[in-house]
Amino acid sequence: MKVRFAPSPTGYMHVGNCRTLLINWLFARHHGGVFLLRLDDTDRERSEKKYETALLEDIAWLGLEFDAYERQSDRLERYKEGAEMLKASGRLYACYETPEELEFKRRRQISRGMPPIYDREALQLTDAQKTQYEKEGRKPHWRLLLNDAPIDWEDLIRGPIHLEGSKLSDPVLVREDGFPIYTLASVIDDMDMNITHIIRGEDHLTNTAVQIQLWRALGIADGTIKFGHLSLLANADGTELSKRLGSTSIRDFRAQGILPMALNSLLAKLGTSDPVQAYDSLDALVNHFDISKFAKGTPKFSMEDITHMNKKVIHTLPYEKAVEYSHFSSMDSLFWEAVRPNLESLNEVEMWWTICRGTVRTFVANEDKIFIREALASLPQGPWEPMPWKEWLHLLKTVSGRKGKELFMPLRAALTGQDHGPELQGLVELMGPDLARKRLEGALL
Ligand code: GLU
């Protein structure tokens, strides 16, 4: 068993691609198969080295290591060979239309209520006409001659699929400059690299139909490769994933303090019959993985979902991992244990560190000043081993007559400068007697 993730390095990886990556990886790991990362980089104008580098970084950050790595740009000779084979068998034909001419045809078809399928005008060209075009400096692009044969497959996710070759447009496989187009390169690679299962988005359904005809033309029998087409993620209201969310890159999420296991946990289960829950390692996801649990329905994705999942993952994140992911190496494990239950994002760590160990402005409302003076006067002397928290609170309740919110809110504001946060006791213990005293004094200024 061998699967591949085949991104084009023309942009940063976003959530839709990340889901395809993860599901292929889980499929391979669950079945003990091989996971290939293949760079679809035949589009020379749009592919960039920086996107390739970013992709490798993102994959490593997600923890989804691959077993093999290929680049289409290293295999151009092989695609030429494939194209020559198709020319020889009469399945690849030369076309000379300019992009403007093609666009004109397309518009005319649409205005007549016809599907914009290439009309195969080039098949009527005589040798003399072709020579004339070449003399004029036109270079041909090459299309695959589809046949009318029906195309059927049993999709791993969508069940039986049936498409008619006659309703599809002959795809361009080789550009004017001789470079192969993704469709050709991908089919030759999947064949040469012995890919057994192709799992990708449902936006590739028509591609699959075309590619099945192309495999047939290259001598590969139907059924050699199995297909699964994942339903695309949508907004919470079912509409197409918003531009903003759809184009949020994995590195944007990372910069927002989102953890890899939050993305992995959510994306592995969206659109399946399993409950969505936080997983602390990929192993559990691998064990539970089952492609048949993916449904045809549209999975919903929202920023709230990912933030919520992130919170859950953070709440069980061990100290060593927190240091690794937050890049905030100054924190110690006591601090982490104290603030962890209240974090939504790892980006908040530094703020809480400053609150517990650094300098912050704190405040107190006029009506709470007397109370905070009492708190300062009764603050237990150090060293605290441990801090007599209960006794202090008991004393404060007695002298002030306050309890609940009335007691905690001003105390929290005077000690941390915040109106919310982790358990105050833990924070005060991290501050220690001197800093706690300074804070209460500072609030009264
Ligand atoms: N490079 C293609 C894409 O990113 C790959 C599609 C496929 O999996 O064949 O959409």
Side-chain angles (χ1 to χ4, degrees):
M1 175 170 295
K2 189 171 180 184
V3 295
R4 85 302 193 273
F5 172 57
S8 307
T10 53
Y12 293 116
M13 178 156 65
H14 49 72
V15 70
N17 260 344
C18 180
R19 178 164 175 255
T20 308
L21 156 70
L22 174 67
I23 291 166
N24 274 285
W25 185 88
L26 289 170
F27 187 84
R29 291 293 174 264
H30 181 83
H31 295 285
V34 177
F35 177 64
L36 163 72
L37 172 66
R38 191 180 74 214
L39 221 56
D40 282 1
D41 60 348
T42 53
D43 185 338
R44 285 179 309 162
E45 281 104 57
R46 293 175 55 228
S47 297
E48 286 187 47
K49 185 77 193 164
K50 71 168 184 199
Y51 294 130
E52 177 182 347
T53 310
L55 197 82
L56 295 174
E57 258 175 42
D58 292 347
I59 294 176
W61 178 74
L62 288 161
L64 308 174
E65 80 286 1
F66 43 86
D67 309 311
Y69 186 34
E70 299 274 0
R71 258 196 219 99
Q72 291 194 327
S73 53
D74 293 338
R75 292 174 40 82
L76 297 173
E77 283 310 309
R78 175 67 186 110
Y79 309 137
K80 267 197 190 130
E81 206 178 288
E84 290 311 317
M85 245 180 84
L86 293 165
K87 282 180 199 170
S89 61
R91 291 297 298 274
L92 203 58
Y93 63 97
C95 303
Y96 292 85
E97 291 94 343
T98 62
E100 294 73 31
E101 285 164 352
L102 287 173
E103 182 55 21
F104 178 73
K105 282 186 198 218
R106 210 179 67 86
R107 282 172 194 246
R108 198 175 48 194
Q109 283 170 317
I110 292 173
S111 73
R112 290 181 184 164
M114 286 154 63
I117 291 178
Y118 178 60
D119 61 8
R120 294 183 169 165
E121 206 178 325
L123 283 179
Q124 316 301 329
L125 293 175
T126 61
D127 285 346
Q129 284 171 310
K130 289 186 196 172
T131 316
Q132 180 58 31
Y133 275 142
E134 308 244 347
K135 258 199 210 150
E136 287 169 14
R138 289 204 194 192
K139 290 219 168 69
H141 55 271
W142 298 80
R143 286 187 191 260
L144 174 71
L145 184 64
L146 292 176
N147 53 35
D148 289 350
I151 304 151
D152 294 282
W153 76 88
E154 184 66 30
D155 197 273
L156 295 167
I157 295 160
R158 321 193 85 73
I161 305 273
H162 173 83
L163 282 146
E164 291 290 338
S166 57
K167 302 218 169 82
L168 304 170
S169 195
D170 288 348
V172 176
L173 296 191
V174 181
R175 305 190 330 178
E176 272 170 23
D177 59 7
F179 267 78
I181 292 217
Y182 148 77
T183 315
L184 176 67
S186 177
V187 160
I188 291 183
D189 284 349
D190 291 333
M191 178 174 95
D192 286 359
M193 295 167 192
N194 298 315
I195 298 301
T196 57
H197 295 75
I198 294 180
I199 303 167
R200 55 187 174 187
E202 63 182 326
D203 49 334
H204 285 286
L205 273 171
T206 318
N207 270 344
T208 299
V210 164
Q211 291 179 343
I212 286 176
Q213 284 221 0
L214 186 46
W215 275 302
R216 285 179 189 161
L218 292 166
I220 300 290
D222 280 14
T224 307
I225 302 179
K226 311 237 175 333
F227 301 96
H229 290 86
L230 296 160
S231 300
L232 301 183
L233 298 177
N235 291 323
D237 63 2
T239 54
E240 195 183 327
L241 201 60
S242 73
K243 262 233 160 69
R244 189 181 55 75
L245 205 51
S247 61
T248 302
S249 69
I250 297 309
R251 41 197 48 220
D252 290 335
F253 283 118
R254 181 178 172 179
Q256 287 168 30
I258 303 288
L259 285 163
M261 277 315 295
L263 279 165
N264 289 335
S265 300
L266 187 62
L267 295 177
K269 297 297 177 188
L270 280 184
T272 74
S273 47
D274 282 340
V276 173
Q277 63 188 72
Y279 288 84
D280 57 10
S281 83
L282 284 162
D283 294 344
L285 286 173
V286 169
N287 291 340
H288 294 164
F289 186 80
D290 181 353
I291 193 82
S292 71
K293 286 185 174 165
F294 283 84
K296 274 199 266 184
T298 307
K300 314 280 175 10
F301 180 82
S302 70
M303 202 55 218
E304 289 74 51
D305 292 342
I306 189 69
T307 312
H308 185 66
M309 182 60 83
N310 200 44
K311 221 154 85 174
K312 288 208 220 159
V313 172
I314 287 179
H315 296 176
T316 58
L317 190 72
Y319 167 66
E320 300 72 40
K321 291 254 179 233
V323 176
E324 180 186 335
Y325 292 126
S326 79
H327 301 296
F328 187 69
S329 47
S330 335
M331 74 169 128
D332 53 57
S333 62
L334 263 180
F335 165 81
W336 175 246
E337 300 295 334
V339 301
R340 181 174 77 166
N342 217 263
L343 297 179
E344 282 201 359
S345 143
L346 280 185
N347 289 358
E348 295 160 6
V349 165
E350 206 167 338
M351 176 188 101
W352 287 108
W353 178 263
T354 311
I355 287 172
C356 294
R357 297 280 155 90
T359 312
V360 289
R361 262 206 67 76
T362 61
F363 57 88
V364 58
N366 272 341
E367 66 268 27
D368 296 323
K369 281 207 164 133
I370 294 175
F371 168 58
I372 294 301
R373 272 199 202 101
E374 286 163 353
L376 180 61
S378 59
L379 185 73
Q381 293 296 321
W384 296 340
E385 281 166 355
M387 192 224 184
W389 175 256
K390 272 200 187 131
E391 289 78 359
W392 186 42
L393 277 199
H394 182 74
L395 192 71
L396 273 179
K397 278 180 194 166
T398 318
V399 291
S400 69
R402 292 179 182 231
K403 58 181 191 305
K405 253 183 144 182
E406 276 227 294
L407 179 112
F408 282 104
M409 289 298 276
L411 204 52
R412 182 177 282 283
L415 283 160
T416 69
Q418 301 288 318
D419 60 7
H420 70 283
E423 285 283 338
L424 197 52
Q425 180 181 359
L427 297 179
V428 174
E429 277 174 356
L430 286 167
M431 285 176 199
D434 295 342
L435 189 54
R437 182 169 303 277
K438 244 168 92 180
R439 288 284 165 76
L440 294 173
E441 285 167 357
L444 287 166
L445 288 180

